[in-house]
């Protein structure tokens, strides 16, 4: 009898698939390259299993990434910065002392994805590859100037996250490629960053808008040296609001300049109206959250 | 079982808070819910549902599905017997058996997205789901009407071509029929005095228009029904329902079976709030079982629960209230147009007759319209019809008080209804606690604690609900060890097994853990109305008390036999039988229970109730909020719910009922809604996007129980569960108005709408 591959309308069980547990990234890549769209990677599974269950896609193989050493790496050095393996779950990230002290913005994001139970499984790698416009780590990773290390049949490449996302659920990765890790430069002196999302409730909601801001101040804390602002849930992908950050460079830290940056960030937003929020509301929220994240980032930069 | 004593209560058991009988089963997962059912040879059913909000069904071809391996049967409306028009009374809502048959399997037209069109029974759920794709349905898509305004517009598409408006001139009359085809199923009017003249002579008149959206009860457990049609023609249904007898009647009427051939076994229920009175899949599962000769189980998923069960009405409303400088209300005018969903039967009449109840009025005009729209047919939801109408009236009352510069509770007290006052429906109030609740608000710590801080506000509101009576049956059996068995026909939604056991225990002078309560099926206990209308503890309690007294009467006879005296000479007091003739002759209930077999055999008695003196009740809520004016988000800072619960039967259940009602009301006020796209698709049919409040969105709900005993119950018990959802919508709206100086008149008052209101204000 043929295997039953049912599309379940929110049914009770998953479709049939083969579960593979490669031990090396090379092995994983060769499985992926051979099966293309008929294979999917699994990190925490908090997106992919839900999507399988509702019949979003039809696969033959699920590749468990959690047994591959590189994907479980969580390390920091001044020269290489922070490396987060693509399968490291959120709780390991936000409990890590270095991440807590040097990348509080990543803590902001990983602490609010889902709930405690979800954070025990969900990875930032999964959040990135899932490429939802409202993914709650994405603005942080972009604002922190992160990049994705990707491996495929033709080798390894590194893509800045600000160039990674191409549409809802879409990104620059090709069918044979897998994500190995996320990398971030070591934070410069007098820098700080923060992430906020807006949801109508206090838990269990998808962002109506989310924003991360990262700033580097002069030693006296009075002026911006540079800033990076990224906004999410207000377009088909998260956006790097480059102009908003750039206009702060060299400027004094004050409410007026912060308000200008918030206005500039709003210009990047191209949201839709749906059950989660209206166009007007979402653009407005980008302004509010930009201002609020800048305020926190500045405080953090000043120590 | 611990039975925390309550020094305030004049009773030994009633008014305390023992642990509920069903708690262990529930928290250990041992309780049997409908989905747990596994019967030999059981098949799995799945329903094909309409993808369109409004369409004519041209053709249904089930042949491919029937030929699919593993599929055992397919049913459509053509398998349903012809059902005649007949009114169905579900206690809190009315329906029509012919239309209920169409609700279970669409006949000719689909009237909402999610309307059942066909169903499949297969060896497993996957095959059943696959088979749905193989059923070919040809639709002629029609334009949908999604709001009452659209439904009543000139030239609007008609849902039911033959439906005309029943114009109800007054209470208890069927009224006239307009004879004109319309989406307005009925109109109800209450009037008294001369409101027009009174408005002219008022110092202040406030009028506002309101719009609200459909909302769902949000019970955790989805609907489930399992049917087995035995070869001898007897049908058994296992289901999650609030009332097994109503399901029996509905199924026997829709399938043309004698009632005695249908047995309904109620399973444990994971929440109902009014939404589990009707049977949605019972007739379908039964027809599938008849075709296959095997039991068939159908379980809804969450999307089906949202799209295809019975939420409560969205509405368009107006309220106009006038008053004089001295704080007396001169006149009130209320207009309510409620969405019934696809079939008539919105709770608009209840909204119309309850919304002005906190006020003693001379001049009033209340009009209610029941309007069909292309959305799921509404069902009861906790005080059905009342919360929306209370939103309209209680926010306008608040605004009138504000304009007059009078404290809103003082204003209400000046106009409060008392015993003997006439409601707009003409019914005269018996002993009632409106004034007591309002005074308790004034005396509460919450009301007397000033609220400070920017963008913070406080709101108050009142609410009233009839509460139900309805008939119940209870049977009490004495065991030889002195424990007592109690069977009732009342499904236990909220701890009623315990609350009723407590009343039996009170009469017998024993503890509730010596009572073993269970819920009977329709073959094992007499007719009992649904657990709805806040009636169960009250009405089934009366039946249980009566049965207990019958048991005591019989036991007095046994004691008289032992003492060679007359039953009239035996008294029961403090858990003992005592001879009036000889004070040495006494025997405890337990000891006599051990002697029953030797004195004439077992003792058990059953009794029925059908009480008329129902204890309706008032509630009043105080709500403090803070509004983030940048994001529009509302935080509820403090919330106190006060309510006349009569004599509290079980102290902490009363409190949790009041808290639960308040929480559902807060959710309704702030974020919950059926969000429709223009084609009639509910876009947020998941708990993720439906946005019920979580524990992180609420403060602890403080409760103050005001106990004004109900003269219609031996212990003074009133209904409790529904009243607390009536005031919150207005209490929250009034608090927001106080915080930001803008009155929102549309629900939900979510961040987006608050931002928009703040923008308009500037
Ligand atoms: C209850 C609940 C609440 C949630 N709340 C939030 C929230 O608040 N905010 C939020 O942003 N998200 C939320 N999510 C979504 C989800 O948890 C996150 O997106 C999470 O980061 C996904 O990580 P994961 O490891 O579970 O990914 P997985 O589900 O394992 O994978 C996600 C996607 O990435 C692919 N993938 C994973 N690893 C790799 C790899 N190494 N190489 C290539 N492809 C890979 C998978 O094939 C899949 O397409 C929630 C989910 C649930 C179930």
């Amino acid at each position: 009898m043929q295997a039953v591959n049912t599309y379940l309308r929110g049914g009770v069980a998953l479709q049939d698939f083969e579960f593979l547990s490669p031990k090396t990234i090379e092995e994983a890549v060769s499985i992926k390259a051979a099966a293309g769209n008929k294979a999917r990677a699994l990190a925490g599974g908090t997106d992919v299993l839900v999507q399988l269950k509702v019949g979003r896609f039809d696969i033959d193989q699920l590749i468990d990434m959690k047994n591959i050493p590189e994907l479980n790496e969580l390390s920091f050095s001044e020269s290489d910065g922070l490396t987060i393996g693509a399968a490291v779950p959120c709780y390991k990230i936000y409990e890590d002392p270095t991440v807590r002290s040097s990348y509080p913005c990543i803590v902001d994001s990983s602490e609010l994805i889902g709930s405690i139970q979800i954070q025990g499984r969900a990875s930032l790698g999964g959040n990135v590859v899932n490429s939802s416009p409202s993914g709650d780590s994405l603005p942080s990773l972009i604002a922190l100037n992160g990049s994705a290390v990707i491996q495929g049949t033709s080798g390894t490449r590194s893509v800045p996250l600000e160039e990674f996302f191409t549409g809802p659920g879409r990104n620059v990765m090709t069918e044979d490629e897998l994500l190995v890790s996320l990398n971030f430069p070591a934070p410069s002196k007098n820098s700080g960053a923060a992430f906020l999302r807006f949801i109508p409730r206090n838990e269990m909601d998808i962002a109506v808008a989310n924003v991360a801001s990262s700033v580097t101040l002069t030693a006296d804390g009075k002026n911006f040296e540079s800033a990076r602002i990224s906004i999410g849930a207000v377009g088909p992908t998260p956006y790097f609001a480059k102009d908003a950050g750039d206009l702060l460079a060299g400027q004094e830290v004050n409410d007026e300049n912060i308000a200008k940056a918030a206005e500039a960030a709003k210009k990047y937003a191209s949201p839709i109206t749906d059950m989660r929020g209206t166009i007007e509301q979402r653009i407005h929220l980008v302004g509010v959250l930009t201002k609020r994240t800048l305020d926190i980032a500045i405080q953090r930069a000043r120590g | 079982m611990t039975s925390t004593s309550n020094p305030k209560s004049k009773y030994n058991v009633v008014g305390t808070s023992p642990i509920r009988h069903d708690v262990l089963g529930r928290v250990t997962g041992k309780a049997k819910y409908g989905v747990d059912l596994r019967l030999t040879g059981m098949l799995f059913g799945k329903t094909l549902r309409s993808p369109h909000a409004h369409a004519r069904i041209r053709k249904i071809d089930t042949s491919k599905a029937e030929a699919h391996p593993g599929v055992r049967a397919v049913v459509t409306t053509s398998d349903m017997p012809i059902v005649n028009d007949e009114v169905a009374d579900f206690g809190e809502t009315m329906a029509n058996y012919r239309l209920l048959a169409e609700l279970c399997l669409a006949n000719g037209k689909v009237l909402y997205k999610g309307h059942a069109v066909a169903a499949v029974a297969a060896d497993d759920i996957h095959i059943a789901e696959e088979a749905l794709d193989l059923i070919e349905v040809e639709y002629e898509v029609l334009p949908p009407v999604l709001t009452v305004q659209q439904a009543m517009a000139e030239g609007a598409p008609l849902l039911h071509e033959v439906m005309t408006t029943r114009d109800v001139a007054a209470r208890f009359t069927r009224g006239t029929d307009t004879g004109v085809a319309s989406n307005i199923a009925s109109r109800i009017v209450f009037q008294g005095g001369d409101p027009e003249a009174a408005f002219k002579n008022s110092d202040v008149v406030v009028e506002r228009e309101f719009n609200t959206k459909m909302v769902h009860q949000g019970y955790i457990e989805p609907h489930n029904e399992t049917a087995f049609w035995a070869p001898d023609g007897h049908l058994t249904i296992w289901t999650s329902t609030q009332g097994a007898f109503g399901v029996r009647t509905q199924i026997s009427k829709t399938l043309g079976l004698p009632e005695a051939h249908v047995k309904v076994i109620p399973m444990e229920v994971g929440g109902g709030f009014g939404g589990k009175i009707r049977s949605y899949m019972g007739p379908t599962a039964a027809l599938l079982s008849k075709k296959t000769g095997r039991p068939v189980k159908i379980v809804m998923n969450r999307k089906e629960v949202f799209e295809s069960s019975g939420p409560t009405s969205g509405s368009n409303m107006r309220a106009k209230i006038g008053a004089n400088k001295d704080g007396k209300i001169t006149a009130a005018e209320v207009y309510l147009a409620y969405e019934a969903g696809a079939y008539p039967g919105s709770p608009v009449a209840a909204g119309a007759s309850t919304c002005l109840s906190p006020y003693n009025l001379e001049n009033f005009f209340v009009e209610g319209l029941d309007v069909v729209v292309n959305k799921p047919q509404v069902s009861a939801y906790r005080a059905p019809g009342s919360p929306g109408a209370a939103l309209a009236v209680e926010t306008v009352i608040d605004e009138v008080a504000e304009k007059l510069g009078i404290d809103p509770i003082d204003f209400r007290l000046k106009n409060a209804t008392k015993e003997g006052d006439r409601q707009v429906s003409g019914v005269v109030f018996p002993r009632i606690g409106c004034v007591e609740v309002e005074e308790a608000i004034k005396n509460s710590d919450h009301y007397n604690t000033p609220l400070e801080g920017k963008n913070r506000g406080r709101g108050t509101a009142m609410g009233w609900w009839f509460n139900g009576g309805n008939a119940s049956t209870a049977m009490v059996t004495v065991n030889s060890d002195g424990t007592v068995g109690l069977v009732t026909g009342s499904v236990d939604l909220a701890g009623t097994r315990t609350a009723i056991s407590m009343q039996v225990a009170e009469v017998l002078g024993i503890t509730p853990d010596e009572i073993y309560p269970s819920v009977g099926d329709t073959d094992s206990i007499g007719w009992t109305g649904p657990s709805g209308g806040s009636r169960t503890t009250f009405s089934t309690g009366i039946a249980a008390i009566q049965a207990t007294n019958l048991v005591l009467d019989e036991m007095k006879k046994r004691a008289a036999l032992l003492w060679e005296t007359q039953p009239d000479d035996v008294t029961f007091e403090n858990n003992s039988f005592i001879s009036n003739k000889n004070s040495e002759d006494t025997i405890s209930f337990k000891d006599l229970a051990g002697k029953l077999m030797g004195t004439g055999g077992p003792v058990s008695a059953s009794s029925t109730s059908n009480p008329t003196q129902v204890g309706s009740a008032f509630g009043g809520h105080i709500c403090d909020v803070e509004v983030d004016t940048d994001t529009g988000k509302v935080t509820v800072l403090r919330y106190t719910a006060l309510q006349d619960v009569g004599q509290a039967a079980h102290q902490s259940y009363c409190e949790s009922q009041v808290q639960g009602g308040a929480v559902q009301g807060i959710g309704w006020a702030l974020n919950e809604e059926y969000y429709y796209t223009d084609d009639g698709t509910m876009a947020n049919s998941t708990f993720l996007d439906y946005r019920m409040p979580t524990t992180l969105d609420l403060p602890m709900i403080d409760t103050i129980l005001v106990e004004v005993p109900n003269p219609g119950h031996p212990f003074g018990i009133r209904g409790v569960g529904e009243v607390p959802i009536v005031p919150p919508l207005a209490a929250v709206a009034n608090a927001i108005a106080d915080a930001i100086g803008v009155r929102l008149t549309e629900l939900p008052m979510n961040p987006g709408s608050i931002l928009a209101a703040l923008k308009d204000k500037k």
Side-chain angles (χ1 to χ4, degrees):
Chain A
M1 201 185 129
Q2 203 192 330
V4 186
N5 246 343
T6 37
Y7 286 88
L8 300 172
R9 297 164 192 77
V12 291
L14 292 173
Q15 50 184 281
D16 287 354
F17 53 79
E18 223 182 325
F19 187 82
L20 304 166
S21 279
K23 302 273 183 298
T24 65
I25 185 71
E26 289 75 20
E27 205 187 324
V29 166
S30 70
I31 297 169
K32 180 80 174 102
N37 269 342
K38 287 284 187 179
R40 289 248 166 183
L42 169 112
T46 60
D47 275 321
V48 79
L49 293 179
V50 177
Q51 291 161 359
L52 268 177
K53 198 169 164 178
V54 299
R56 178 86 59 84
F57 38 72
D58 186 6
I59 58 158
D60 296 331
Q61 291 170 326
L62 207 50
I63 314 168
D64 181 13
M65 305 299 285
K66 291 191 294 295
N67 294 312
I68 303 169
E70 295 92 320
L71 275 88
N72 291 310
E73 188 182 336
L74 181 59
S75 65
F76 175 79
S77 72
E78 274 305 327
S79 54
D80 296 338
L82 178 70
T83 299
I84 302 178
V88 178
C90 286
Y91 86 95
K92 280 202 177 144
I93 299 169
Y94 63 67
E95 282 182 359
D96 183 83
T98 311
V99 177
R100 290 201 83 79
S101 61
S102 304
Y103 299 91
C105 183
I106 293 180
V107 176
D108 290 344
S109 284
S110 48
E111 264 183 352
L112 63 66
I113 290 179
S115 54
I116 299 268
Q117 293 94 320
I118 296 292
Q119 289 153 14
R121 294 246 121 194
S123 64
L124 296 189
N127 203 241
V128 166
V129 182
N130 192 55
S131 302
S132 159
S134 60
D136 280 317
S137 74
L138 312 183
S140 297
L141 307 186
I142 292 171
L144 291 173
N145 203 9
S147 48
V149 177
I150 303 164
Q151 189 160 333
T153 40
S154 53
T156 304
R157 60 182 177 134
S158 174
V159 180
L161 283 162
E162 63 187 69
E163 294 164 12
F164 182 87
F165 305 98
T166 54
R170 290 200 306 273
N171 53 54
V172 299
M173 284 169 59
T174 53
E175 274 186 21
D176 65 315
E177 286 182 318
L178 292 167
L179 180 69
V180 179
S181 64
L182 302 166
N183 284 24
F184 303 90
S188 39
K189 273 214 173 75
N190 309 311
S191 69
F195 169 85
L196 288 172
R197 78 169 165 191
F198 180 78
I199 54 173
R201 292 183 293 184
N202 293 314
E203 257 291 0
M204 282 299 155
D205 243 327
I206 292 184
V208 180
N210 56 19
V211 175
S213 296
S214 150
V215 301
T216 303
L217 306 183
T218 50
D220 59 6
K222 291 203 170 128
N223 290 291
F224 292 101
E225 259 180 14
S226 65
R228 289 174 64 90
I229 295 165
S230 175
I231 64 177
V234 288
T237 69
Y239 294 122
F240 172 41
K242 187 168 185 308
D243 295 350
D246 286 354
L247 69 76
L248 290 174
Q251 302 297 310
E252 194 189 329
V253 176
N254 60 32
D255 288 350
E256 195 187 324
N257 286 327
I258 289 171
K260 272 188 199 157
E263 279 310 308
K266 281 161 76 172
K267 297 224 166 69
Y268 283 85
S270 58
I272 52 165
T273 289
D274 66 8
M275 71 272 190
R276 300 195 180 122
T278 62
I279 292 174
E280 258 205 322
Q281 178 193 7
R282 287 181 147 135
I283 294 176
H284 171 83
L285 284 170
V286 166
V288 174
L289 296 179
T290 301
K291 187 187 163 306
R292 289 183 180 180
T293 49
L294 279 170
D295 286 342
I296 303 169
I298 291 160
Q299 271 177 29
R300 286 177 176 169
R302 285 172 175 166
Chain B
M1 192 179 296
T2 53
S3 183
T4 42
S5 70
N6 178 4
K8 254 180 60 196
S9 176
K10 61 178 187 209
Y11 300 105
N12 291 322
V13 181
V14 168
T16 64
S17 299
I19 291 175
R20 55 199 277 179
H21 293 77
D22 57 326
V23 77
L24 204 64
R26 298 234 193 221
V27 301
T28 57
K30 293 285 187 289
K32 277 260 183 215
Y33 293 87
V35 285
D36 298 326
L37 204 68
R38 301 228 172 271
L39 300 172
T40 309
M42 189 172 82
L43 300 172
F44 297 82
K46 196 76 200 161
T47 311
L48 179 70
R49 299 189 176 278
S50 167
H52 307 294
H54 194 190
R56 219 176 292 285
I57 301 174
R58 285 237 188 84
K59 202 174 120 201
I60 308 179
D61 183 350
T62 59
S63 54
K64 283 190 190 135
E66 278 160 31
H68 193 61
V71 171
R72 302 293 164 176
V74 182
V75 293
T76 66
T77 183
S78 61
D79 297 286
M80 191 75 96
I82 292 167
V83 180
N84 292 326
D85 273 297
E86 190 185 333
V87 172
D89 183 351
F90 283 116
E92 284 201 322
T93 50
M94 308 290 267
N96 173 317
Y97 289 115
R98 179 178 61 81
L99 300 182
L100 278 170
E102 288 186 14
L103 178 75
C104 292
L105 282 169
N107 181 5
K109 266 178 111 180
V110 286
L111 296 172
Y112 57 100
K113 186 169 180 251
H115 198 159
V117 173
V120 173
D123 290 349
D124 68 41
I125 191 70
H126 308 296
I127 299 172
E129 288 181 338
E130 270 182 329
L132 295 186
D133 281 347
L134 303 174
I135 300 174
E136 287 162 7
V137 187
E138 224 179 279
Y139 292 103
E140 175 193 341
V141 179
L142 304 169
V145 289
L146 298 175
T147 62
V148 291
Q149 291 96 325
Q150 283 174 18
M152 293 190 287
E154 186 84 34
L158 295 174
L159 274 77
H160 307 275
E161 280 85 356
V162 296
M163 194 176 85
T164 52
T165 308
R166 200 157 44 77
D167 204 17
V168 184
R171 201 165 182 265
F172 300 131
T173 62
R174 270 188 71 84
T176 52
D177 195 314
T178 57
V180 181
S182 162
N183 287 324
I184 305 173
S186 67
R187 176 172 174 269
I188 186 166
V189 170
F190 300 123
Q191 52 190 320
D194 186 351
E196 235 167 85
F199 279 124
K200 278 198 197 108
N201 297 323
S202 302
D203 294 324
V204 174
V205 177
V206 174
E207 180 173 14
R208 292 223 177 236
E209 183 176 348
F210 302 82
N211 288 297
T212 70
K213 304 278 176 55
M214 254 185 187
V215 293
H216 199 273
Q217 300 84 349
Y219 31 82
I220 302 291
E221 182 210 25
H223 296 261
N224 55 77
E225 295 188 74
T226 304
F228 180 55
W229 196 310
D232 64 0
H234 284 254
L235 173 64
T236 307
I237 304 274
W238 295 258
T239 183
S240 172
T241 180
Q242 293 178 229
F245 289 87
V247 170
R248 183 180 70 171
T249 310
Q250 183 189 337
I251 286 176
S252 81
K253 295 272 187 199
T254 47
L255 298 178
L257 283 174
E259 271 196 354
H261 287 198
V262 183
K263 169 170 163 176
V264 177
I265 304 178
M267 306 298 285
E268 291 292 346
V269 179
F273 310 103
K276 286 190 183 150
I277 294 176
R278 208 179 274 149
S279 167
Y280 290 97
M281 304 164 306
T284 316
L287 291 169
L288 287 167
S289 177
K290 188 182 184 189
K291 276 195 170 178
T292 58
R294 291 163 65 170
V296 177
K297 172 155 90 175
I298 311 185
V299 181
M300 283 192 188
N301 61 29
R302 182 59 55 187
K303 186 175 160 71
E304 289 180 292
V305 173
F306 274 118
E307 294 183 352
S308 313
S309 70
T312 196
S313 310
S315 67
N316 172 247
M317 308 180 287
R318 280 192 307 275
K320 179 177 175 184
I321 288 168
N324 282 335
K325 284 204 189 81
D326 63 359
K328 263 311 228 190
I329 298 175
T330 49
E333 204 176 278
V334 181
Y335 162 85
L336 309 170
Y338 278 19
E339 296 168 358
Y343 298 100
S346 81
V348 72
S353 41
T354 56
C355 62
L356 292 168
S357 293
Y359 310 99
N360 183 26
L361 300 171
E362 250 171 61
N363 306 299
F364 55 86
F365 182 84
V366 186
E367 181 183 16
L369 302 178
D370 182 29
V371 185
V372 293
V373 293
N374 292 111
K375 297 184 186 178
Q377 182 185 19
V378 301
S379 182
Y381 177 16
R382 228 171 178 156
S386 194
L391 167 75
V393 169
E394 290 296 299
T395 54
V396 171
I397 287 279
D398 193 67
E399 198 172 348
V400 173
E402 186 187 12
K403 289 224 153 84
L404 290 171
I406 305 178
D407 172 273
I409 299 301
D410 286 337
F411 180 53
R412 289 184 172 91
L413 272 166
K414 254 207 156 90
N415 297 284
T417 36
K418 299 177 197 67
E419 182 173 354
D421 288 347
R422 207 172 268 284
Q423 302 165 39
V424 297
S425 61
V427 176
V428 174
F429 270 121
R431 179 78 182 90
I432 196 77
C434 183
V435 170
E436 285 85 346
V437 168
E438 286 166 1
E439 279 172 349
I441 292 177
K442 286 218 75 171
N443 294 330
S444 67
D445 175 66
H446 188 166
Y447 207 65
N448 288 298
T449 307
L451 178 65
E452 278 150 18
K454 222 177 136 204
N455 298 323
R456 291 182 167 191
R458 174 169 295 164
T460 52
M462 290 293 289
W464 177 77
W465 184 245
F466 317 91
N467 292 331
N470 210 336
S472 290
T473 310
M475 183 174 78
V476 172
T477 305
V478 181
N479 300 321
S480 60
D481 60 359
T483 63
V484 169
L486 168 69
V487 184
T488 74
S490 287
V491 169
D492 185 354
L493 301 169
T496 49
R497 266 173 291 212
T498 301
I500 298 163
S501 295
M502 290 169 74
Q503 299 174 52
V504 174
E506 185 73 46
V507 176
L508 296 178
I510 59 180
T511 58
D513 60 337
E514 293 172 283
I515 316 280
Y516 289 81
S518 55
V519 180
D521 61 55
T522 54
D523 280 1
S524 66
I525 188 80
W527 199 92
T528 300
S531 296
S534 307
R535 61 172 285 277
T536 308
T537 303
F538 162 71
S539 178
T540 311
I542 291 175
I545 291 168
Q546 288 168 358
T548 310
N549 284 325
L550 291 175
V551 159
L552 286 177
D553 288 347
E554 179 58 30
M555 286 176 77
K556 282 178 190 167
K557 286 185 196 157
R558 307 302 175 85
L561 211 65
L562 290 176
W563 300 327
E564 296 179 351
T565 176
Q566 295 303 311
D568 282 352
D569 292 329
V570 180
T571 315
F572 182 71
E573 230 177 75
N574 293 331
N575 189 28
S576 285
F577 297 88
I578 304 154
S579 164
N580 301 341
K581 296 277 171 179
N582 179 357
S583 60
E584 308 247 297
D585 282 341
T586 106
I587 184 166
S588 71
F589 176 80
K590 186 174 173 178
D591 288 345
L592 186 55
K595 293 189 194 301
L596 295 180
M597 287 309 181
T599 54
V603 172
S604 92
S606 82
S607 182
T608 62
S609 66
N610 194 10
T612 47
Q613 261 189 294
V614 177
S616 65
F618 281 97
H621 292 192
I622 317 167
C623 173
D624 292 354
V625 300
E626 180 172 302
V627 180
D628 180 335
T629 52
D630 288 338
T631 64
K633 186 160 164 171
V634 173
T635 303
V636 180
L637 301 170
R638 185 176 181 183
Y639 201 99
T640 306
L642 299 91
Q643 188 171 317
D644 172 13
V645 297
Q647 165 66 47
H650 186 294
Q651 186 84 12
S652 75
Y653 293 179
C654 285
E655 288 163 358
S656 56
Q657 283 294 317
V658 171
Q659 290 168 326
V663 165
Q664 284 186 313
I666 292 169
W668 189 344
L670 291 179
N671 282 308
E672 291 179 38
E673 66 174 310
Y674 271 49
Y675 185 99
Y676 276 96
T677 55
D678 291 344
D679 65 352
T681 302
M682 181 191 184
N684 61 336
S685 55
T686 63
F687 272 149
L688 175 62
D689 283 318
Y690 180 71
R691 288 177 177 156
M692 283 164 68
T694 72
T695 48
L696 295 171
D697 303 312
L698 298 159
M700 188 64 194
I701 308 291
D702 295 321
T703 57
I704 296 177
L705 304 184
V706 180
E707 299 186 75
V708 181
N710 169 20
H713 184 281
F715 300 129
I717 289 167
R718 288 179 197 273
V720 173
E722 289 170 294
V723 178
I725 202 175
V726 184
L729 316 188
V732 173
N734 290 337
I736 292 173
D738 189 40
I740 60 174
V742 189
R743 292 206 172 258
L744 275 79
T745 54
E746 310 235 335
L747 294 188
M749 296 176 284
N750 61 23
S753 49
I754 290 191
L755 277 183
L758 283 166
K759 199 173 158 216
D760 290 347
K761 179 189 167 193
K762 276 179 199 157

